[in-house]
């Protein structure tokens, strides 16, 4: 294939109807990059013979070594095809631009999938014909559903059914039918969930309309409400879900083998058999898949009912699969795997294909197979034609997707109508609003930027040629001068040496250039939705927390000049001067202005924030880093900041202890980040500590609990007195019902939204205060606008009450708990609650309306002395602050609490009037109250049976029967728990679902691969926290326990072991740990 000129691709950017923006999504090792190679080969970038071997879009060395994709890469491809608009019209040649993004399939890099999907309009979803629907397949299908991408299904690796599983065509058809049902079942579950949610919302609106109609007193008003009710009832319609599913006759399913270079759709075979069978193409498309049979005598298509007992094969088996099986038998079949030359000749004649003579002489079965399929069913043609005909162009996609994206964005109702209209109607004029979304920042070495790379063919510009000639003349002049001094013979020899040593087309200072550092530049991975963007334009950078409701809220967005625009070509870039709407492109000049993602908009007021991307996997693995050479600390910090900008999932933070910590999604992601730090970003030796995994601390009511510490008070009740004896606080700690804990965990973003709204209203009533606002912003990330469904205050209260009512124990305790909730913690959004049960009401209530809750806090909040006496309301913010502190660092090992309720029962103040002003007394008591509340909550916590909650991975493993026992052995030794084991029908593989504690997961994948000789590879997905049902402070008491655990109880309990490890890492005191074992043997390591 000839190489496509970049100028042709740039020219096609001006034709939006001929553009397709697609991403390739799949589970790991399902063939995404091999498919990409075949498509790239059509543009002459790589040889078709090397497709599937080069892995062109895997540009990192570690990607090539491991054979998996770690970063999403984009490339622009050219494709031309003839299209006939009518049966009588002549075919018209049309050219298309395909912006293709290849994404990773490993769960550790699912954030790359999220960033890629927001830029595209359609998705090509691959499924392995043998492995079927895997965990990441469901994840990427959910991502297409959330982003409203139109999916195209590719069932890949069908060759494995022939070569590995040795299936017959009929068995393969049955297997493919079941696989298609599995994929459609996943899509159906998404539709059903959305349908139930819409039905519930419609019923609530209908009920509200009925109540309003019943309460209306005037007849006219009642009639109006009645009409509104009927209108609401009429608005709800059953949605048709037929267009959602993958059906081969609709040509949204492609059958392929990327490694062998072939693919086909039902439409292709309908065109092949159209003339042979005498059917219309449109009719054949409807019957080639499904239970339809061809009568050999009458040449008529029969349904299953009309078979009358005859053993006919389905048309898909007879006309599609059997020819494929015959090709494999003729090329790679036989006893020795050399095929059947006679059958091969017969097949090539029937298909009217001529194979090169050197291939037939060489008798390489694989080469013959690839050549035959590339001439008969080329993969690139089937995929690209389906992409063009089935997936939408940017104008069509934006008209359907943009209204939903705008409404779901933070402050969507305040977006300017001109901006909304420009995006929805795809306006590309220069004077229209410019809106672009930058999904991630990519670090690129300076040497790989277009202005630093020499053009192909080793051609030089005139300036480069003159510079090189100048250097050569200077060298020859030196040699001649030396010749004049040393004599003619020696001079001629030195001149010839100078000629021989002078490099042609290269720089003499090459070695010194290589030794210089190659700095990294950040380029944005972007999509333009409206307007035209040019180099030199000034545009606002809107951060992920921007809302058009408060456009000038701190930090105020600022304008940045567009330094460069790039056409993304996989491993290389091409310079652009301007970019029209609908194009995926690279943008330079935003390195210090966009952290991970952001929105570019030409206007600030009424701008839109598109940065609401669900990353899929949250970083939970922490590692403390330090440079080997302390002098390189600044280098390491700079490298960490650059890594945080360029990686969508990695996070960098500095702990209170001064440790520099990086958060990653998993073990493989951590390995990649450390490699990038050492080799690219920091360029120094970095030492990594042991991975740090998060825990949660909780309490339960257990039969083996010790008696309450204070027998006169109920369990968990503590009366705390400040040091000055002036304030007495009585509170009670209780475990939250499990249903409430789960509810709060699922609706974290709803709590964030409610808190943000409450805070915004309070700030609207007050003047600008001091730096406390910035502190709040650090403690609470307002990502509520990013959630697809956020509950309102009324909905949240109703569902929370239902969750409390599910608890069958202590119903009286939780009866009015919802109305009395003062705060959630830690960070104001956690799964712990502070409940104000004081008779007089000490604290403002979080879930009440503002006018009710502000009364309690009005006096201190206004900063005015109303009287000369202190009241419990003056300490409300101190008590809430102490609650946030203690829930962020529990007593077991300073990890966050979960599932704890704190009831504030009474606050008594004993201050005399001669102790100074109220403000002085309040300032002195602030620290005492915070410390007393913290200590009281800790005492109440330890009065129950404490528990550690472990971070858990959901582990999916596919393994054959031979290695099943080894997989179980590894899981058991790492405290894993088997949830499900099922045999995949039609295959020899078992699918094992299990739970594995994250703290024991390091090295798990490598150990599984070693023990099974590579026959099994796990996929680990974070599945939340699970309680370890062991008390860390438990000691053996009964005879049986003493017999099992020893008289001294020296057999370690797992919960205590984990707790002590965390305490030791944090520098806390570990009970029973000996600092010095043998004092007389202590010595330094050097001696």
């Amino acid at each position: 294939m000839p190489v496509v000129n970049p100028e042709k691709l740039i020219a096609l950017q001006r034709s939006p109807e001929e553009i397709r923006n697609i991403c390739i999504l799949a589970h790991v090792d399902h063939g995404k990059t091999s498919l990409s190679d075949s498509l790239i080969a059509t543009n002459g970038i790589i040889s078709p013979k090397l497709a599937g071997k080069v892995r062109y879009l895997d540009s990192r060395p570690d990607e090539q070594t491991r054979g998996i994709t770690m970063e999403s890469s984009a490339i622009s491809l050219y494709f031309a095809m003839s299209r006939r608009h009518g049966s009588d019209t002549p075919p018209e040649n049309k050219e298309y631009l395909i912006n293709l993004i290849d994404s990773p399939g490993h769960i550790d890099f699912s954030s790359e999938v999220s960033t890629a999907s927001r830029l595209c309009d359609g998705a090509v979803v691959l499924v392995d014909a043998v492995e079927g629907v895997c965990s990441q397949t469901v994840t990427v299908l959910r991502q297409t559903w959330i982003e409203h991408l139109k999916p195209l299904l590719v069932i890949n690796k069908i060759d494995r059914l022939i070569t590995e599983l040795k299936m017959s065509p009929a068995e393969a058809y049955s297997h493919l039918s079941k696989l298609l049902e599995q994929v459609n079942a996943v899509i159906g579950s998404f539709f059903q969930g959305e349908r139930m949610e819409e039905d519930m919302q419609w019923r609530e609106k209908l009920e509200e309309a009925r109540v309003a109609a019943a309460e209306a007193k005037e007849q006219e008003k009642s009639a109006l409400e009645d009409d509104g009710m009927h209108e609401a009832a009429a608005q709800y319609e059953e949605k048709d879900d037929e267009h959602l599913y993958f059906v081969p006759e609709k040509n949204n399913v492609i059958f392929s083998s990327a490694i062998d270079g072939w693919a086909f759709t039902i439409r292709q075979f309908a065109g092949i058999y159209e003339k042979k069978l005498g059917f219309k193409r449109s009719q054949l498309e409807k019957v080639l898949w499904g239970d339809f049979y061809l009568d050999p005598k009458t040449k008529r298509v029969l349904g299953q009912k009309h078979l009358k007992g005859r053993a006919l094969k389905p048309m898909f088996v007879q006309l599609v699969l059997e020819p494929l099986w015959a090709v494999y038998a003729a090329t790679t079949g036989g006893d020795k795997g050399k095929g059947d030359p006679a059958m091969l000749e017969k097949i090539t004649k029937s298909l009217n294909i001529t194979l090169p003579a050197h291939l037939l002489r060489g008798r390489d079965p694989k080469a013959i197979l690839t050549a035959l399929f590339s001439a008969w069913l080329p993969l690139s043609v089937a995929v690209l034609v389906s992409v063009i005909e089935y997936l939408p162009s940017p104008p069509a996609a934006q008209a359907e997707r943009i209204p939903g994206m705008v409404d779901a964005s933070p402050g969507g109702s305040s977006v300017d109508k001109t901006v909304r209209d420009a995006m929805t109607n795809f306006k590309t004029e220069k004077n229209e609003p410019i809106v672009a979304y930058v999904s991630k920042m990519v670090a690129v070495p300076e040497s790989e930027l277009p202005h630093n790379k020499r053009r192909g063919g080793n051609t030089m510009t005139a300036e480069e040629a003159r510079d090189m000639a100048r250097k050569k003349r200077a060298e020859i002049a030196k040699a001649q001068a030396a010749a004049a001094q040393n004599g003619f013979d020696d001079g001629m020899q030195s001149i010839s040496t100078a000629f021989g040593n002078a490099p042609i087309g290269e720089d003499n200072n090459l070695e010194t250039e290589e030794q210089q550092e190659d700095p990294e530049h950040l380029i944005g991975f972007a999509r333009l939705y409206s307007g035209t963007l040019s180099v030199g334009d000034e545009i606002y950078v809107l951060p992920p927390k921007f809302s058009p409701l408060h456009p000038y809220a701190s930090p105020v967005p600022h304008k940045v000049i567009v330094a460069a625009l790039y056409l993304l070509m996989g491993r290389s870039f091409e310079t652009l001067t301007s970019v029209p709407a609908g194009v995926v492109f690279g943008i330079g000049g935003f390195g210090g202005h966009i952290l991970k993602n952001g929105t570019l908009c030409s206007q600030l007021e009424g701008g839109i924030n598109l940065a609401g991307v669900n990353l899929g996997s949250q970083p939970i693995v922490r590692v403390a880093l330090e440079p080997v050479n302390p002098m390189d600390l600044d280098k390491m910090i700079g490298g960490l900041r650059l890594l945080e900008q360029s990686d969508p999932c990695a996070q960098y933070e500095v702990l209170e202890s001064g440790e520099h910590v990086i958060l990653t999604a998993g073990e493989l992601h951590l390995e990649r980040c450390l490699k990038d730090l050492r080799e690219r970003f920091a360029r120094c030796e970095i030492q990594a500590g042991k991975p740090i995994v998060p825990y949660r601390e909780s309490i339960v009511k257990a039969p083996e609990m010790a008696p309450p510490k204070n027998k006169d008070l109920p369990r968990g009740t503590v009366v705390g007195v400040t040091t000055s004896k002036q304030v007495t606080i009585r509170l009670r700690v209780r475990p939250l019902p499990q249903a409430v804990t789960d509810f709060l965990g699922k609706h974290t973003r709803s709590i964030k939204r409610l808190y943000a709204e409450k805070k915004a209203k309070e700030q609207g009533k007050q003047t600008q205060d001091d730096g406390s606002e910035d502190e709040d912003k650090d403690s609470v990330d307002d990502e509520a606008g990013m959630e697809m469904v956020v509950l309102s205050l009324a909905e949240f209260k109703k569902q929370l009450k239902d969750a409390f009512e599910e608890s069958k124990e202590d119903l009286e305790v939780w009866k009015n708990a919802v109305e009395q909730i003062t705060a959630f913690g830690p960070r104001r959004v956690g799964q712990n609650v502070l409940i104000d049960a004081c008779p007089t009401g000490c604290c403002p209530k979080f879930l009440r309306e503002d006018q009710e809750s502000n009364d309690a806090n009005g006096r201190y909040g206004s900063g005015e002395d109303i009287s000369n006496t202190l009241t419990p309301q003056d300490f409300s913010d101190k008590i809430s602050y102490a609650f946030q502190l203690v829930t962020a660092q529990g007593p077991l090992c300073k990890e966050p609490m979960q599932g704890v309720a704190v009831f504030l029962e009474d606050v008594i103040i004993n201050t005399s009037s001669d102790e100074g002003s109220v403000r002085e007394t309040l300032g002195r008591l602030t620290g005492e109250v915070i410390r007393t509340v913290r200590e009281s909550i800790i005492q109440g916590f330890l009065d129950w049976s404490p528990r550690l909650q472990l971070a858990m991975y959901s582990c999916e493993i596919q393994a054959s029967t031979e290695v099943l026992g080894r997989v179980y052995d590894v899981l058991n030794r790492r405290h894993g728990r088997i949830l499900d084991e099922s045999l995949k029908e039609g295959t020899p593989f078992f699918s094992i679902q299990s739970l594995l504690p994250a703290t024991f997961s390091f090295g798990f994948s490598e150990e599984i691969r070693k023990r099974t000789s590579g026959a099994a590879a796990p996929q680990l997905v974070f599945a939340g926290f699970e309680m370890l049902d062991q008390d860390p402070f438990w000691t053996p008491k009964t005879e049986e326990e003493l017999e099992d655990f020893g008289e001294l109880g020296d057999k370690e309990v797992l919960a205590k072991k984990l707790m002590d490890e965390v305490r030791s890492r944090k520098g806390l005191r570990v009970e029973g740990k000996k600092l010095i074992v043998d004092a007389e043997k202590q010595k330094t390591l050097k001696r």
Side-chain angles (χ1 to χ4, degrees):
M1 289 292 295
V3 179
V4 177
N5 199 336
E7 280 73 16
K8 184 178 285 188
L9 300 174
I10 296 170
L12 284 172
Q13 290 182 345
R14 307 290 168 183
S15 305
E17 293 293 340
E18 276 71 55
I19 296 175
R20 300 292 185 271
N21 297 317
I22 63 168
C23 53
I24 301 181
L25 309 175
H27 188 76
V28 67
D29 286 334
H30 279 201
K32 296 179 300 298
T33 308
S34 299
L35 178 72
S36 303
D37 275 1
S38 297
L39 303 183
I40 292 169
T42 61
N43 280 225
I45 298 173
I46 62 174
S47 168
K49 295 178 181 178
L50 298 176
K53 301 171 185 174
V54 174
R55 302 177 64 88
Y56 182 78
L57 292 179
D58 287 353
S59 54
R60 297 171 55 94
D62 48 355
E63 287 180 321
Q64 294 284 347
T65 304
R66 289 181 174 272
I68 62 170
T69 306
M70 297 184 184
E71 288 183 350
S72 53
S73 306
I75 192 166
S76 296
L77 301 176
Y78 166 84
F79 184 67
M81 62 179 285
S82 298
R83 301 193 73 172
R84 194 190 297 270
H85 296 287
S87 56
D88 300 330
T89 58
E92 180 185 355
N93 192 34
K94 280 203 167 189
E95 297 178 328
Y96 294 91
L97 174 66
I98 313 285
N99 292 317
L100 172 73
I101 300 179
D102 181 27
S103 61
H106 197 282
I107 188 63
D108 280 12
F109 309 109
S110 58
S111 56
E112 296 276 351
V113 177
S114 307
T115 57
S117 59
R118 176 54 68 96
L119 302 179
C120 298
D121 303 316
V124 178
V125 180
L126 272 73
V127 178
D128 191 317
V130 175
E131 294 184 5
V133 177
C134 299
S135 59
Q136 196 67 359
T137 310
V138 178
T139 303
V140 299
L141 285 171
R142 184 182 291 111
Q143 192 69 34
T144 62
W145 180 267
I146 292 170
E147 294 289 346
H148 300 287
L149 302 181
K150 198 168 185 181
L152 182 69
L153 181 66
V154 177
I155 300 178
N156 193 28
K157 299 191 180 184
I158 294 181
D159 59 292
R160 293 182 67 189
L161 303 180
I162 306 170
T163 57
E164 287 184 29
L165 302 185
K166 308 293 183 184
M167 286 186 178
S168 66
E171 291 171 338
Y173 169 67
S174 175
H175 180 80
L176 293 174
S177 300
K178 290 173 183 174
L179 175 58
L180 202 56
E181 287 174 8
Q182 291 174 10
V183 178
N184 283 331
V186 175
I187 298 291
S189 66
F190 300 152
F191 173 78
Q192 190 65 21
E194 190 177 271
R195 158 77 176 72
M196 290 173 66
E197 190 175 328
E198 289 176 354
D199 182 51
M200 183 182 68
Q201 292 174 354
W202 172 77
R203 289 180 187 278
E204 287 177 358
K205 288 180 182 178
L206 197 61
E207 188 64 30
E208 289 172 6
R210 280 179 181 162
V211 171
E215 292 178 352
K217 296 178 181 178
E218 298 176 7
Q219 191 172 358
E220 286 184 3
K221 191 173 181 181
S222 180
L224 286 171
E225 297 289 348
D226 248 2
D227 291 342
M229 183 181 71
H230 290 306
E231 186 182 348
Q235 282 177 357
Y236 186 78
E237 294 179 0
E238 288 288 346
K239 288 186 179 179
D240 184 19
D241 59 344
E242 273 191 31
H243 65 284
L244 300 174
Y245 299 114
F246 298 109
V247 184
E249 52 263 34
K250 289 184 180 178
N251 293 293
N252 59 0
V253 179
I254 300 173
F255 304 90
S256 78
S257 169
I259 197 69
D260 290 338
W262 61 264
F264 66 87
T265 60
I266 292 295
R267 178 172 291 181
Q268 277 181 273
F269 271 94
I272 292 172
Y273 290 111
E274 182 181 14
K275 294 179 181 178
K276 290 183 180 179
L277 300 177
F279 290 110
K280 288 184 179 180
R281 185 170 182 170
S282 58
Q283 293 176 340
L284 262 180
E285 287 177 15
K286 295 176 182 177
V287 298
L288 265 180
W289 176 269
D291 295 328
F292 296 100
Y293 306 84
L294 183 64
D295 191 334
K297 297 179 181 178
T298 61
K299 299 294 181 182
R300 293 179 62 188
V301 177
L302 305 175
Q304 197 167 15
K305 296 179 182 178
H306 301 90
L307 283 180
K308 298 178 181 178
R310 287 188 291 176
L312 296 180
K313 298 175 183 176
M315 291 181 67
F316 188 78
V317 174
Q318 185 180 356
L319 302 180
V320 179
L321 294 185
E322 285 188 349
L324 286 175
W325 261 245
V327 170
Y328 274 92
T331 52
T332 60
D335 297 334
K336 298 181 180 179
K338 294 288 185 180
D340 186 348
M343 187 188 295
L344 177 63
E345 186 178 355
K346 184 179 177 182
I347 290 172
T348 52
K349 283 183 179 178
S350 64
L351 296 175
N352 198 18
I353 293 172
T354 304
L355 294 176
H358 69 275
L359 282 180
L360 297 172
R361 286 197 302 270
R363 298 301 302 148
D364 181 1
K366 195 71 174 176
I368 295 172
L369 176 73
T370 307
L372 178 55
F373 274 125
S374 63
W376 180 32
L377 300 171
L379 181 142
S380 56
V381 172
V383 173
L384 292 178
V385 168
S386 298
V387 163
I388 288 164
E389 292 185 344
Y390 186 73
L391 299 184
S393 61
Q398 286 188 203
E400 186 178 344
R401 293 178 65 203
I402 292 299
M405 286 172 61
V406 173
D407 293 339
S409 66
S413 58
S414 302
V415 174
D416 193 349
K417 289 183 178 178
T418 57
V419 173
R420 181 190 288 260
D421 183 58
M423 295 174 67
T424 306
N425 297 325
F426 197 80
K427 295 183 178 179
T428 60
E429 291 77 14
K430 188 70 178 175
N431 57 348
E432 295 293 340
I434 297 173
V435 178
Y437 172 63
V438 180
S439 69
K440 70 169 185 172
M441 304 297 287
V442 182
V444 179
E446 187 175 358
S447 60
E448 293 186 12
L449 294 177
H451 57 271
N452 292 327
K453 293 188 76 173
R454 179 164 291 172
R455 288 147 303 284
N458 290 327
T459 58
M460 292 184 292
T461 62
E463 188 70 30
E464 290 173 339
R466 281 194 292 270
D467 189 40
M468 188 183 72
R470 197 179 299 114
K471 291 176 181 177
K472 298 276 179 64
R473 284 196 295 271
E475 286 182 13
I476 293 170
K478 285 181 183 177
Q480 288 176 342
Q485 293 177 357
N486 300 332
F488 181 77
D489 292 337
D490 294 341
M492 288 302 295
Q493 186 177 357
S494 61
I495 291 171
S496 61
T497 304
F499 272 113
N501 292 337
I504 297 175
E506 297 178 7
D507 195 351
N508 286 342
N509 299 326
L510 186 64
E511 292 182 3
T512 58
E513 284 183 2
E514 285 180 354
Q515 291 173 0
Q516 291 177 0
E517 289 189 0
D518 192 3
E520 300 280 341
H521 291 264
L522 290 171
I523 292 177
F525 216 59
R527 158 80 183 266
L528 191 62
Y529 287 96
S530 65
T532 299
L533 189 63
S534 304
V535 176
D537 286 353
E538 279 192 329
I539 193 163
Y540 284 105
V541 178
L542 309 182
K545 295 181 184 179
F546 172 82
S547 173
L549 286 168
H550 309 285
Y552 295 101
S554 179
V556 180
H558 55 279
K559 281 192 171 183
V560 179
I561 298 175
V562 178
L565 297 171
Y566 302 103
L567 177 70
L568 303 173
M569 293 297 294
R571 302 183 182 186
S572 61
F573 302 88
E574 296 291 337
T575 307
L576 300 173
T577 55
S578 65
V579 172
V583 173
V584 176
F585 62 99
I587 185 167
F590 292 81
H593 307 285
I594 297 177
L595 178 59
K596 291 183 181 296
N597 55 29
T599 309
L600 308 181
C601 193
S602 55
Q603 63 186 64
L604 186 58
E605 295 182 359
I608 181 173
N609 180 8
L610 296 172
V613 173
N614 179 20
L615 292 181
S617 64
Q618 296 300 321
I620 65 162
V621 178
R622 300 182 177 206
V623 171
L625 305 177
E626 62 178 7
V628 174
N629 183 1
M631 300 290 289
D632 292 334
L633 181 61
D634 290 340
K635 279 186 181 181
M636 187 189 79
I637 293 173
L640 282 168
R641 287 176 179 157
L642 195 59
L643 174 68
E644 186 181 24
Q645 286 187 344
S646 62
D647 194 300
C649 193
Q651 294 179 14
Y652 162 59
E653 61 182 30
V654 181
L655 301 182
E656 293 179 0
S657 59
E659 288 180 298
H660 298 272
V661 171
I662 182 174
L663 283 79
T664 60
E667 194 176 2
L668 185 59
H669 186 213
L670 171 64
E671 190 177 327
R672 192 198 76 179
C673 289
L674 291 176
K675 181 179 175 64
D676 284 348
L677 263 179
R678 291 173 178 137
E679 297 179 3
R680 295 177 60 190
F681 301 140
R683 297 178 187 272
C684 64
E685 285 298 317
I686 292 175
Q687 185 175 341
K690 289 184 178 180
I692 305 168
V693 175
Y695 293 87
R696 295 289 183 268
E697 300 181 16
S698 188
I699 51 176
V700 295
K701 184 179 180 181
E704 73 275 3
M705 286 189 297
K709 293 180 182 176
N710 191 337
K711 297 180 180 179
D712 300 330
L713 296 174
R715 184 180 292 277
T717 304
V718 180
V719 178
V721 182
T722 59
T723 312
S724 61
K725 313 292 184 184
Q726 292 181 330
V727 182
T728 303
I729 298 170
R730 177 185 169 120
L731 54 82
R732 187 178 184 188
V733 179
R734 297 181 66 93
L736 262 181
Q738 188 60 41
V740 178
T741 307
D742 296 341
F743 174 83
L744 296 178
K746 290 176 184 175
H747 296 90
T748 301
R749 292 184 177 179
S750 295
I751 303 173
K752 289 181 181 180
R753 168 63 65 88
L754 293 174
Y755 174 76
E757 290 176 353
K758 194 178 185 73
K759 183 180 170 186
K761 287 178 182 177
E762 289 174 359
Q763 287 177 352
K765 296 176 183 176
Q766 300 172 0
T767 56
Q768 289 289 334
D769 53 2
D770 51 7
S772 62
E773 180 181 345
D774 294 332
E775 184 181 350
D776 288 346
K777 286 193 175 183
D778 291 339
S779 60
V780 178
D781 298 324
D782 181 21
E783 297 173 359
M786 315 311 178
E787 193 177 86
M788 299 303 293
V789 177
V790 180
L791 300 179
S792 65
L793 179 59
E795 291 172 339
F796 184 84
K797 287 174 68 174
K798 181 180 179 298
Q799 294 189 26
L800 184 56
K801 281 181 181 177
D802 295 340
F804 273 114
E805 288 172 3
E806 286 183 28
S807 173
K808 297 179 181 178
E809 295 183 2
D810 303 324
L811 289 176
E812 287 298 321
V813 174
W814 310 108
K815 188 175 181 180
N816 299 318
V818 174
E819 296 295 337
Q820 295 175 339
I821 289 176
T822 295
F824 299 94
R827 293 168 61 88
R828 299 189 179 90
V829 293
Q831 293 165 274
N832 308 286
V833 292
L834 174 62
I835 297 172
D836 181 11
C838 294
T840 57
C842 299
C843 304
K845 308 303 184 287
F846 183 79
L847 296 179
R848 285 190 191 173
E849 297 298 328
D850 292 330
Q851 60 268 22
E852 299 176 25
S853 62
N854 283 342
D855 295 337
N857 202 26
R859 204 185 90 163
Y860 178 69
S862 62
E864 298 177 2
D865 288 334
I866 298 175
S867 66
N868 292 326
T869 59
L870 286 174
T871 62
Q873 287 80 7
D874 292 315
F875 296 100
S876 62
D877 56 338
K878 284 66 174 182
I879 294 170
S880 178
Y881 180 67
F883 170 75
Q884 300 295 339
L885 288 178
V886 74
T887 52
Q889 293 187 337
L892 298 184
C893 50
K894 301 297 182 186
E895 291 289 321
M897 290 185 186
Q898 182 169 305
V900 177
V902 178
F903 288 82
L904 182 64
E905 295 185 345
D906 202 2
V907 178
I908 302 170
I909 300 171
N910 303 311
T911 57
S912 57
S913 58
D914 57 347
E915 292 185 7
S917 68
V918 172
R919 184 171 293 280
E920 290 176 1
T921 307
L922 187 63
R924 181 168 48 79
L925 291 175
T926 296
E928 294 184 18
V929 170
I930 291 174
R931 183 172 64 253
T932 303
V933 173
R934 283 191 66 182
E935 291 173 354
S936 300
I937 294 175
I938 288 173
Q939 288 178 32
F941 182 96
L942 296 175
D943 211 9
W944 297 85
S945 182
R947 292 288 188 272
L948 273 182
Q949 292 194 345
L950 310 183
M952 302 297 287
Y953 277 126
S954 171
C955 176
E956 181 185 357
I957 306 173
Q958 288 201 1
S960 58
T961 316
E962 293 81 11
V963 297
L964 210 56
R966 299 174 196 171
V967 171
Y968 283 168
D969 181 43
V970 176
L971 277 170
N972 290 332
R973 280 193 292 104
R974 291 177 176 264
H975 302 276
R977 191 172 80 252
I978 307 296
L979 299 178
D980 181 53
E981 172 196 308
S982 58
L983 178 66
K984 290 216 166 193
E985 196 170 345
T987 71
F989 297 105
F990 279 86
S991 178
I992 304 162
Q993 302 286 341
S994 61
L995 282 176
L996 181 71
T999 189
F1000 301 114
S1001 67
F1002 300 102
F1004 174 70
S1005 300
E1006 187 178 353
E1007 186 178 0
I1008 283 279
R1009 280 194 292 269
K1010 282 182 178 177
R1011 291 291 305 275
T1012 62
S1013 303
Q1019 280 279 296
L1020 301 176
V1021 184
F1022 179 60
F1025 290 87
E1026 186 178 275
M1027 189 173 289
L1028 179 62
D1029 197 15
Q1030 290 180 357
D1031 189 337
F1033 303 113
W1034 177 86
T1035 53
K1037 296 181 179 65
T1038 65
E1039 290 185 6
E1040 293 180 359
E1041 290 171 350
L1042 288 169
E1043 186 177 342
D1044 290 341
F1045 292 91
E1047 293 182 3
L1048 301 175
D1050 51 0
K1051 184 177 180 182
E1052 233 173 353
V1053 179
L1054 179 60
K1056 187 177 188 309
K1057 178 185 175 185
L1058 295 174
M1059 182 184 75
D1060 289 347
E1061 283 179 359
V1062 178
R1063 292 186 67 89
S1064 178
R1065 172 172 56 79
K1066 292 184 176 182
L1068 303 173
R1069 186 176 69 86
V1070 179
E1071 190 176 346
K1073 182 180 179 182
K1074 293 182 180 180
L1075 296 178
I1076 299 174
V1077 181
D1078 297 311
E1080 70 278 3
K1081 294 183 180 178
Q1082 300 301 306
K1083 59 183 179 180
T1084 62
L1085 294 174
K1086 291 183 179 179
R1087 291 181 181 175

